Amino acid sequence: MEMGFGEADVVKALECARNNRQDACNYLLGEKTETSAPNDLHTPLPKDHPLYKIVMERCEIQKALLTPKFLDVMRDLDERRAGVVDFSDDPEISPILYQLSKAIQKYSSHG
């Protein structure tokens, strides 16, 4: 906004750039690349979504989401190099994955 862009444009740029400030500036300046283009994977969850609610209600999930170990697990799951069952014995990861999977199940059954 300091550069003269509107708040809505800045928010959209940050969403498209996954909160990377340099990429968001590039997006605003017209350097929109495929990596900065919006897609379903990087669309923010609505505030009434069960995953959003569970993350916002539980600080242990918020903390886990910021750890390199959990981010590596999520990358492995996303790239299908591992399944949830591969982390069932991990005392740090398993409880978080369980809570998230329950929220996903809840959403899927109502959605």
Side-chain angles (χ1 to χ4, degrees), residues 11-51:
V11 169
K12 180 179 179 183
L14 285 167
E15 287 173 356
C16 290
R18 289 169 248 139
N19 288 327
N20 179 301
R21 290 182 182 192
Q22 183 62 48
D23 288 347
C25 284
N26 292 341
Y27 183 91
L28 288 167
L29 295 171
E31 300 173 22
K32 299 175 176 114
T33 63
E34 271 190 44
T35 57
S36 65
N39 63 45
D40 289 343
L41 185 60
H42 302 291
T43 301
L45 291 172
K47 291 184 179 183
D48 62 341
H49 192 288
L51 281 176

Side-chain angles (χ1 to χ4, degrees), residues 58-90:
R58 304 201 179 154
C59 64
E60 69 273 13
I61 294 178
Q62 293 173 26
K63 289 178 186 175
L65 292 175
L66 299 174
T67 64
K69 181 177 182 178
F70 191 81
L71 294 174
D72 286 342
V73 167
M74 296 307 292
R75 187 176 304 114
D76 288 347
L77 291 171
D78 182 50
E79 295 174 1
R80 303 213 189 314
R81 291 186 296 206
V84 173
V85 97
D86 295 320
F87 305 101
S88 61
D89 292 332
D90 189 308

